[in-house]
Structure formats: C-alpha cells, structure tokens
Amino acid sequence: MSVDDPGKGVGRRDLLSLAAWGAFCASLATALVGAFRLPNPSVFPEPSLKVKVGPPGSIPELEYRKVAGRNLFVSRGEEGVFAISAVCTHLGCVVAPVPSGFHCPCHGSRFDALGRITGGPAPRGLDWLKVAKAPDGELVVDEGETVPPGTYLKI
Ligand code: FES
C-alpha cells in the first residue's frame, strides 16, 4: 500500500510540499514584518540631561536651590554660579541640604557646603556639574557632565 496513492486525499509528498511552502511563507512574512519595523527605532531617546535653571539673577546667593524634577542644587557665590549633584556618591541616594552642607539619609554620609565629604561611607564628595549660559541668557546645567570641584561660571 502506498502513502502517495492517488485518489486517497493528501499524500505524504503533498503534505511535505505544503509544509515546506508554509515554512517558506512564514519566514517570508517574518522577514517582511522585520523589514517594515526596521526604520522605526525600538529604543526611545532619553530626555535631555541639560536643564535650564533660570537667569543668573534668580540663583540664590550663598544658599542652595533644588531644581524641580532634577537631582541637583544650584547656588551663587563670590566666584560665580555653580551646580552640585544631589546624588550621593555612596549608593546613589538623594542628599538633603542641612545647615552645614548636605546629609545623605540612607547611610549617613555628610558633605560640607561645597560638596566635600566630611563623614560617612561615601567614597568622595558630591559631583559638581557643568553650568553654561544659553543664548537666551538663562543658565543651563548639564547633569551628564561633571566638572572639577571649584569650577564656577562667572556672571
Ligand atoms: S547612599 Fe548615601 S551614604 Fe549610602
């Protein structure tokens, strides 16, 4: 008895042929879907790390202003404007300003008013962030670019 016996429905060869065509069509469809998705990025752009903090005159002198929605403080001293990251250098908690500088609520690291480490497990002081002046006169802080401590923007 033959499995390819004509007149008895779908034979083995027909079944294998159908399976091969089905696999071919499925792979072609998958390739087409991939080709149409290719122009669309599957990674969404991150929000900018640069933030406008206002005109120089709005920066408080000798005290810190936390920038809304960002983990950074801005201040103005005799040397100019500067920005300090509020992210603790130990494990990344957000520090809080205290009269003597900054305090980390997670493990108790303490920093002076210029972000230098004064106690606790943090390995180093708080990062200073780059401050620049935008063409419209507002100051811009770049959270993605650190500068050496003591780097001020003269205004
Ligand atoms: S995260 Fe700030 S002291 Fe540990």
Side-chain angles (χ1 to χ4, degrees), residues 50-51 53-54 129-135 137-142 153:
K50 293 182 179 178
V51 58
V53 296
L129 303 171
K130 183 178 180 184
V131 182
K133 199 168 190 176
E138 288 205 38
L139 298 179
V140 177
V141 177
D142 188 348
L153 176 70

Side-chain angles (χ1 to χ4, degrees), residues 12-82:
R12 185 179 66 185
R13 287 190 181 164
D14 293 335
L15 188 63
L16 288 174
S17 177
L18 277 174
W21 275 108
F24 173 75
C25 290
S27 64
L28 186 64
T30 303
L32 286 174
V33 168
F36 283 113
R37 287 192 58 198
L38 201 56
N40 301 325
S42 57
V43 177
F44 296 103
E46 290 185 14
S48 174
L49 295 176
K50 293 182 179 178
V51 58
K52 285 190 172 182
V53 296
S58 70
I59 308 299
E61 195 169 346
L62 303 178
E63 65 182 71
Y64 289 96
R65 185 181 89 204
K66 176 127 174 19
V67 177
R70 301 294 182 126
N71 291 328
L72 65 96
F73 295 98
V74 290
S75 184
R76 186 161 46 109
E78 290 178 9
E79 298 90 345
V81 174
F82 61 101

Side-chain angles (χ1 to χ4, degrees), residues 88 90-93 104 106-109 121-122:
C88 180
H90 180 222
L91 293 178
C93 289
C104 181
C106 293
H107 309 104
S109 285

Side-chain angles (χ1 to χ4, degrees), residues 95-115:
V95 300
V98 292
S100 62
F102 301 96
H103 175 259
C104 181
C106 293
H107 309 104
S109 285
R110 293 179 305 282
F111 307 88
D112 71 8
L114 294 177

